[in-house]
Amino acid sequence: MGQIYVMDHPLIQHKVSMLRSKETGSKEFRELVEEIAMLMCYEATRDLPLEEIEVETPVAKAKAKALAGKKLGIVPILRTGLGMVDGMLNLVPAAKVGHIGLYRDPETLEPVEYYCKLPYDAPERDIYVLDPMLATGGSASAAIQFIKDKGVQRIRFLCLIAAPEGVERLNKDHPDVDIYVAALDEKLNDHGYIVPGLGDAGDRLFGTK
Ligand code: URA
């Protein structure tokens, strides 16, 4: 079973509350999503391996630590996942960025991949899949499956707000994938919105409503 990590850092919780407010406009919303993604990245990379190195300070030689060269990749699910990319890259600028886009077939209701471009060496990387809202888990689960089908084995999923239904679905379909969330909400409503949630993340990010 995948682990679920609820990020209870006070800065994250404070910023999520601001994000939820319907008074928050697109500019501030975008900034908050980026900041929360950066703080979540900090927490979700806690277990990155380190190695000993030697550096020369202006005073003396020092034994120090550096990241042990583990390669990371970031894959936002289009379009809302895009809002989290810069926050992650602020902390891990060497990460490569792939993109995946899905739509729901109107007849079968099955998710269909319409775009997927991953780093050429994605199977050797730890891949962080990004989507701010984990609602039913249908798209996230399908996106993760499409990424696995391209040979990627080590995947983590980062979202800002999750519904219990989405967490359950991801755990069932992908028990090997750990989930990092800033808030675990109560439920989904009849329209598939997370309650209390924050409304439509894409429209709020891009001002399309
Ligand atoms: N997607 C959103 O943007 N908001 C929700 O509440 C659920 C899915």
Side-chain angles (χ1 to χ4, degrees):
M1 172 79 79
Q3 296 278 343
I4 171 150
Y5 298 97
V6 183
M7 318 262 94
D8 57 359
H9 192 290
L11 286 175
I12 296 180
Q13 294 308 306
H14 179 81
K15 287 175 191 293
V16 168
S17 304
M18 293 165 73
L19 202 60
R20 288 185 190 279
S21 167
K22 63 180 188 187
E23 307 301 334
T24 300
S26 275
K27 176 178 181 290
E28 199 186 350
F29 192 90
R30 267 196 299 274
E31 289 165 357
L32 286 164
V33 169
E34 182 177 329
E35 287 166 5
I36 296 166
M38 186 171 74
L39 294 165
M40 289 182 72
C41 177
Y42 176 77
E43 297 279 359
T45 50
R46 257 184 194 287
D47 58 345
L48 284 181
L50 292 170
E51 62 187 6
E52 291 237 326
I53 58 164
E54 195 174 82
V55 290
E56 229 174 307
T57 79
V59 180
K61 283 196 170 134
K63 282 203 190 322
K65 304 245 196 247
L67 291 174
K70 193 155 189 148
K71 293 175 168 180
L72 302 187
I74 298 167
V75 181
I77 301 179
L78 301 176
R79 68 182 164 148
T80 40
L82 291 174
M84 298 171 72
V85 172
D86 285 348
M88 299 282 295
L89 286 177
N90 284 343
L91 291 192
V92 194
K96 296 250 168 86
V97 185
H99 295 87
I100 186 160
L102 314 173
Y103 70 91
R104 195 169 290 283
D105 184 293
E107 273 164 25
T108 65
L109 300 182
E110 288 300 314
V112 180
E113 178 188 302
Y114 68 82
Y115 184 80
C116 184
K117 178 94 181 174
L118 301 184
Y120 72 94
D121 56 355
E124 291 150 39
R125 292 179 178 264
D126 283 6
I127 297 291
Y128 291 70
V129 176
L130 312 177
D131 195 352
M133 308 299 279
L134 179 62
T136 63
S139 329
S141 175
I144 289 171
Q145 191 55 55
F146 289 132
I147 294 168
K148 283 183 175 174
D149 291 345
K150 293 179 175 66
V152 175
Q153 289 173 10
R154 296 185 306 275
I155 298 177
R156 297 174 185 205
F157 183 78
L158 267 68
C159 69
L160 305 188
I161 299 186
E165 293 88 334
V167 172
E168 200 177 312
R169 170 81 188 265
L170 269 200
N171 269 335
K172 180 167 139 296
D173 294 354
H174 301 288
D176 54 314
V177 172
D178 288 342
I179 304 170
Y180 296 81
V181 302
L184 185 55
D185 275 11
E186 200 183 313
K187 59 176 184 185
L188 290 179
N189 69 14
D190 295 342
H191 305 285
Y193 279 96
I194 299 176
V195 181
L198 49 71
D200 188 302
D203 284 343
R204 296 194 64 186
L205 262 176
F206 299 113
T208 42
K209 196 159 179 210

